[in-house]
Every structure is written in C-alpha cells, then in structure tokens.
Amino acid sequence: MRKVMSKMNWMFLALLTVTVMAVAQQPASAPQNPQPVAATQPGQTAAQPSQAQSNLAAPTTMDQVVDRVILREKDLIKFLSPRTPIVETYLQDLAQDPQLGPIPQDDHYFLGRMDLRESIDRSDYLQDKGKGEGMERHLLGEITRKFKFQYQPLGFSWMIFVDRNDFDRQHYDFHYARREFLGDVRCLVFDLTPRKDAGRGRFLGRIWVEDQDFNIVRLNGTYARPSRNSYYFHMDSWRLNLIPGYWIPAYIYSEEGDFTAGAKNKIAFKAQTRMWGYNLKTGTVNDELTNIRVDSVKDDTPTAQDATPLAAEREWQQQAEDNVVERLERAGLLSPEGDVDKILQTVVNNLEITNNIELPRPVRTRVLTTSPLETFSVGNTIVVSRGLIDVLPDEGSLAMVLSHELAHIVLGHNLGSQYAFNDRMLFSDEGTYQNLGFKHIPEEEAAADKKAIEMLKASPYAQKLETAGLFIKALQARAPQLSALLQAHLGNNIAENGTVTRMAQLGTSAPALDWNKLDQIAALPLGGRVKLNAWDDKVEIVKAQPVAITSARDKMPFEVTPFFPRLSRYGTANTPAATTATAPSTTATAANASATPTN
Ligand SMILES: [Zn+2]
C-alpha cells in the first residue's frame, strides 16, 4: 500500500494512453474509419439512430436494457463525431489551511477545441502567451518541479464517453445497483467493472442511465489498471438533454488528494472541465457562401445625406465592433445575445441615467463564455466573462465591473478601428487570442478607474460599494494563488503580478475582510451564477435556492466546486420562459435575486 502511494506521489499522469491503447486494441478499423465503433459491433444495425430508437420495443429484461445502453452510447459517439466542441479545464492545486481547509495554492487553465472524430484530440487556444515556450511543456515542467505531478489537459476531458471503442459486454461486466432520481430524471444505476482480460485503461465506476431511452446521463469513476508511472484521475462526468434524443457531455469534475491526518499524499487538486460549442459551424469557405445574410442591406438613415467626417468615423468604429462581436461568437468565445445581457444592460443604464451620459449609440453588453476573470470593450460593446459574473457577490460589484468599461467608452478610449478591415477577421478560431486584443495603456486604465468611481458615487450603487470593495479585498487575498484565473486573454488584467490593480481604490475604503464573519460574502465560488448551454452557447442565470453558509469553509471564494446540475428532459423544464420574467427591472434588482448565496 505504501509503495503504491509513493509511486503515485512520484508521478501522477492523466494520460492520453487511454486513447492510444484503445485504438491499438481495435486493429484495422481505427485509423481511417471515421466511425470505428459502428464497423465492428454486431448490434450496430442502427444507422439512423433516432429512427431506430423509436422502432425498438421497450426492453423488458435488465440484459436488454444493457444492450440498449450500449447501443445508445455508440450512437452518441457517432452523432458527436463530426463536432469540435470547445473544452475548458480550470484546475486549482490545493494546500491545507488550518482554518479554511483546502484552499487554492496555485492554478492552471486550459482551453482548446476537441476533435471527436476518431480518437479524441485537441488543439489549444492558448499558445506561448509570453511564456517563451510551449504552454504545455512549460506547464508540465513547472508542475513537475514543484509537485512531481503532471497534468495533461486532455486527461480531464477524456471521460466524456465510457469507452470510445470497446463499450460492450466483451470488455465490461454490468451490475444493476438501483433506481435513483437525478433532478427530474429517473435513472437506472449500474456499476461497471472491466473484465479480467479487457486490458488497461478501462472504465471502472458507476453510470446513471435515464429510464426512457436508456442514454447515459452521468459517469462517475476512473480508469482501471494504469500502466507503470501513470495514473488516471477520478472524475464525475455529466450530460444534459440539450437537444431531442441526445444527452450532451457538458461538465466534468475531478478531484484528487487526501488531507486527513497522517496521509502521506498531500498533493491535491480540484478541476472543472466544461464543454460547449457543440453546434458551432466549422467554418469552411463553402459554408460561408451558402449562409450569406441579406438583412440590413438597406440604408435606413432618416435623410439620405453623406456622412460628416465624425459620422464616418463612428460608422467605421461600429463596423469594427460588429466584426469583432460576430467573430468571437463564431469562435464560441462569445455567448449569443440573451437574458443575461439584459441584466447587465440594466445596470449600465442605471449608471448612464444617473450620470446624464448620452452616447451616440446605446451601449451593448455581451458575455464571454470562458472562466478567467476579465472584461473588455470594443466600440460600444462591453464584454464580461462568465467566470467574473459567477464570482461577483452582488449587483453593486457588478456595477463596479461594468462602470470601468463604461468609463472607457465615455472617455472615447475604445477605438479598435483596425478591426473594421475584414481581412483582420480571417483567422482560425484557435488563433483568436493571437489576432484580437483590447488592452489599454496604463494611463487609460487609471483614467477609466477614476471616471468609474465618479460615476458609481453618483449612481444608485453609491450605498452598495462596501461589498464591491470587499470583493476587491477578497480578490487581493487570493490573487497571488490564482494567476491563471486572473490572466486576461483579450482585455487588461485585473491584477498584475499578484496585486489587484483594477478599481483598487474601492478596496481601501471597504471594511476588513473577515472569513469567520458568516454574513460577509465577499466573493462567490465559480459556476454559481451563470449557466452555459453546451449546445448553443447561450447563457442564463442559474436558478438556485440559496444554501445557508454554516462555516468559513463554506464560502469558497473563487473556488472550484463539484458539479451537480439539475437534470431534466429536453423541453420539460429550465425553459427560457422562466428567466425572461426576472430579467430587466428599472432598478435591476433582478441580477442577484436568484443567485445570492445567503440572505
Ligand atoms: Zn480597462
């Protein structure tokens, strides 16, 4: 036992070997056939999945249920094979704090596109990023030195399927455990163990299967029999019924480590992996040509006049803004316009009205689909990341975030006019961060902060700035450990070298930060506010009942937590109807009505 421990300690490795081995055991078919599974499985008469599904009689024995589960899983693999969803993993290394328990000590961020065609492959959005060498190598090198510990980004997204090539009775024993509800969905629960001769890297754990069409909706476990010097993470993988007939892999939570007294292995981390952008168009030239939009060709300006130089300048800026917004959306990095934007816009309106700000064009807001805490603006569009909205404790702190970008717009900082040239939009999605950037010079940052604080003090949020200041303080307390979360990819960093710079002045006037004060909520965990639809990239505010905080350890500011989505069948619940009702009110109290953790 001790020997095993020390070996794990020596080198953890979430490996690609799963892919490699699975392919190796699948001779002939794997490399070239885009659907290797369908080619080898006898049960695979189902070429048109949904049709076949409706033709099949309901299973009457547990054996028939298992057959159906296998069939549905293979169908999902086939259905997803042409797609290239975005995969994001955010990981926090943990250290034991005597008072707060395991808290982040360091963090890492991965963002890429998954290619689900043959084996699961990925390409990264993040390249070099000023670190001088390949990110992965850099990362691995650094972690190895520090923790003797290795991560492979792909390791975290592996568990979207049970077993891509060999999910069948020849490789697995299925043991029915019980029935159980996950959210609104009744499930059959099976424990899966690989057969003795099934080889390395086979799934070991539990699956939940919904009891109508027998799709897997959750997997929880690890992979068995790692090879020497390798290690498979434990994972909890969730799928959502986002389109009719299919349950789409959306979230994976991983966690390793043991902080009990006497445990030898003090290495620990927790990680959230999110997948989205399944329905993104993989833009080919032909694709573009068949989708030419012909709306808004007509010039609808009231009088047919030529543009003055200033009007032309504004038109030009708007063209740049539209180009950028459209390009980011196409790359899966910007959520389509929706209800969350209405909430953000209401806050912006409150700032504008009380400060008598009149702009030639209305300010728009959009949500970046990623986790790192960042904001930027292009033209009159303010963009805030999903992760940042997640961790903000209240509307006042949201106003603080938005006021900084609004100040840039009011001060005329947001030119970005180079993006009005359309050739500048011609880059691969993975090249987004290399080709777009909206960073301001330090002088503009300082001017925007100053203007923002003026605006906040004249706004309805003037009395709510204490919490905003506490947020800055909490961020400052964690900033040295959260450099990956605080690394902006398109806008300015909120913190530089572990010191919060953005709106730092508000922190100085805030009350003292006190983790033990249970009613003082300075920042929320990640993932608590905004829900991202993995299929169409839309975002909505999470509708969750607040859970009372009972100890300082419950606060978990900026932390990664397990996923527990409320499962429901497509079209039965969580429909947008409920969200529109809470959207814009004139004073924008809707922003935190549903998601504040206490009170
Ligand atoms: Zn700025």
Side-chain angles (χ1 to χ4, degrees):
M1 190 61 200
R2 180 160 298 173
K3 208 168 183 183
V4 174
M5 280 287 209
S6 65
K7 184 169 283 178
M8 281 164 50
N9 212 337
W10 181 64
M11 190 179 279
F12 272 17
L13 197 57
L15 270 189
L16 303 167
T17 47
V18 196
T19 330
V20 177
M21 284 183 306
V23 171
Q25 285 160 6
Q26 186 88 31
S29 68
Q32 267 151 27
N33 188 336
Q35 288 101 29
V37 173
T40 51
Q41 291 311 317
Q44 274 293 334
T45 45
Q48 268 77 45
S50 43
Q51 218 178 346
Q53 193 187 323
S54 55
N55 290 343
L56 291 170
T60 50
T61 67
M62 221 29 107
D63 269 358
Q64 288 170 350
V65 167
V66 168
D67 286 341
R68 189 69 65 87
V69 171
I70 292 171
L71 204 65
R72 294 304 301 146
E73 184 72 357
K74 289 180 189 306
D75 184 34
L76 179 74
I77 291 169
K78 196 170 157 193
F79 173 69
L80 293 181
S81 65
R83 300 182 182 271
T84 56
I86 292 177
V87 56
E88 176 194 66
T89 295
Y90 177 59
L91 181 152
Q92 292 179 333
D93 291 310
L94 306 175
Q96 181 75 314
D97 177 274
Q99 184 200 355
L100 297 173
I103 58 167
Q105 166 184 301
D106 195 5
D107 66 346
H108 305 280
Y109 183 69
F110 311 97
L111 184 72
R113 289 290 273 274
M114 265 197 292
D115 186 339
L116 296 172
R117 262 172 305 185
E118 289 169 14
S119 59
I120 297 173
D121 204 356
R122 64 183 273 162
S123 51
D124 274 298
Y125 278 69
L126 312 171
Q127 288 154 3
D128 293 344
K129 267 299 177 194
K131 286 182 177 176
E133 54 181 317
M135 170 181 159
E136 215 158 292
R137 231 180 79 204
H138 173 86
L139 204 64
L140 294 174
E142 188 175 72
I143 301 172
T144 311
R145 269 203 310 281
K146 229 167 165 183
F147 301 110
K148 297 173 182 158
F149 188 76
Q150 294 192 8
Y151 310 112
Q152 280 273 10
L154 187 65
F156 296 96
S157 47
W158 175 254
M159 211 164 93
I160 58 171
F161 303 124
V162 180
D163 186 324
R164 201 179 189 292
N165 294 318
D166 298 311
F167 182 48
D168 53 38
R169 289 176 186 277
Q170 288 77 57
H171 294 84
Y172 290 96
D173 286 322
F174 293 74
H175 306 276
Y176 171 70
R178 61 163 185 268
R179 280 178 197 275
E180 187 181 315
F181 271 95
L182 290 180
D184 305 330
V185 178
R186 196 171 58 181
C187 296
L188 305 172
V189 184
F190 292 91
D191 288 325
L192 252 67
T193 45
R195 296 203 149 186
K196 268 207 181 69
D197 52 353
R200 294 182 190 282
R202 298 296 180 190
F203 177 76
L204 173 67
R206 176 163 280 199
I207 58 169
W208 283 254
V209 173
E210 48 88 17
D211 74 347
Q212 280 181 16
D213 300 323
F214 306 99
N215 294 293
I216 297 173
V217 301
R218 182 185 180 192
L219 303 91
N220 177 300
T222 185
Y223 291 90
R225 299 180 204 130
S227 54
R228 212 174 114 81
N229 301 340
S230 71
Y231 180 80
Y232 297 120
F233 298 132
H234 287 88
M235 295 195 220
D236 190 25
S237 176
W238 293 81
R239 298 176 182 175
L240 301 176
N241 196 189
L242 301 174
I243 49 165
Y246 292 100
W247 289 71
I248 305 300
Y251 304 113
I252 301 172
Y253 175 71
S254 335
E255 173 187 299
E256 296 293 339
D258 183 359
F259 283 114
T260 51
K264 277 256 161 63
N265 170 24
K266 299 289 185 193
I267 297 159
F269 74 84
K270 44 188 184 175
Q272 286 184 338
T273 297
R274 289 179 167 83
M275 281 142 298
W276 70 87
Y278 281 96
N279 204 28
L280 286 174
K281 293 255 179 336
T282 41
T284 65
V285 178
N286 285 337
D287 218 29
E288 296 295 310
L289 288 175
T290 53
N291 283 316
I292 287 176
R293 285 172 28 194
V294 281
D295 46 355
S296 78
V297 272
K298 192 169 150 274
D299 184 356
D300 51 3
T301 43
T303 46
Q305 289 170 344
D306 291 326
T308 64
L310 179 58
E313 175 70 24
R314 284 181 178 156
E315 285 275 327
W316 185 248
Q317 282 167 23
Q318 178 161 10
Q319 189 175 319
E321 175 182 341
D322 291 347
N323 278 350
V324 168
V325 166
E326 192 200 318
R327 186 66 192 88
L328 285 173
E329 206 178 300
R330 200 145 46 85
L333 295 174
L334 203 65
S335 186
E337 208 168 348
D339 291 331
V340 178
D341 297 320
K342 288 181 191 154
I343 294 168
L344 303 186
Q345 256 149 18
T346 309
V347 175
V348 171
N349 284 344
N350 290 342
L351 290 165
E352 286 184 303
I353 291 166
T354 47
N355 283 279
N356 300 313
I357 294 167
E358 285 192 32
L359 296 165
R361 282 190 294 125
V363 172
R364 303 184 292 180
T365 60
R366 296 295 285 271
V367 179
L368 207 61
T369 48
T370 48
S371 290
L373 314 187
E374 70 173 306
T375 66
F376 65 91
S377 34
V378 51
N380 276 23
T381 298
I382 296 175
V383 178
V384 184
S385 69
R386 171 180 52 78
L388 181 53
I389 300 173
D390 268 346
V391 296
L392 293 171
D394 68 348
E395 193 181 319
S397 51
L398 178 59
M400 168 185 71
V401 163
L402 292 167
S403 66
H404 174 90
E405 294 301 338
L406 180 61
H408 279 307
I409 294 173
V410 169
L411 295 171
H413 291 169
N414 292 329
L415 301 179
S417 59
Q418 70 270 30
Y419 302 122
F421 291 107
N422 288 288
D423 60 287
R424 292 216 160 97
M425 297 298 114
L426 299 177
F427 50 80
S428 73
D429 291 349
E430 290 83 354
T432 303
Y433 292 157
Q434 283 75 50
N435 286 275
L436 295 181
F438 308 96
K439 288 187 178 27
H440 293 280
I441 55 172
E443 290 80 1
E444 288 182 349
E445 281 299 285
D449 272 356
K450 185 163 172 278
K451 179 76 184 167
I453 286 168
E454 269 173 46
M455 290 192 294
L456 286 169
K457 288 194 168 151
S459 79
Y461 305 108
Q463 308 308 314
K464 300 174 184 167
L465 295 180
E466 278 199 354
T467 313
L470 275 170
F471 174 79
I472 298 288
K473 279 191 165 172
L475 192 61
Q476 183 52 65
R478 287 283 188 269
Q481 287 78 42
L482 300 179
S483 57
L485 190 64
L486 293 171
Q487 173 69 56
H489 296 284
L490 291 165
N492 283 90
N493 284 339
I494 290 175
E496 294 287 355
N497 302 320
T499 303
V500 176
T501 48
R502 178 84 55 91
M503 303 296 274
Q505 196 196 318
L506 285 181
T508 56
S509 51
L513 190 66
D514 183 354
W515 299 121
N516 284 320
K517 214 165 162 248
L518 296 187
D519 61 347
Q520 188 193 77
I521 304 298
L524 306 186
L526 284 163
R529 250 186 217 290
V530 182
K531 194 159 66 173
L532 173 62
N533 184 307
W535 187 257
D536 60 17
D537 297 354
K538 287 183 181 155
V539 285
E540 59 178 301
I541 294 290
V542 170
K543 293 178 287 287
Q545 284 296 320
V547 175
I549 283 179
T550 56
S551 80
R553 293 188 183 198
D554 285 348
K555 290 187 177 179
M556 302 186 289
F558 311 107
E559 287 182 33
V560 161
T561 61
F563 293 110
F564 238 94
R566 183 170 180 83
L567 298 191
S568 58
R569 293 187 182 280
Y570 179 80
T572 58
N574 300 328
T575 45
T579 27
T580 44
T582 59
S585 70
T586 41
T587 50
T589 44
N592 43 19
S594 52
T596 325
T598 54
N599 317 333

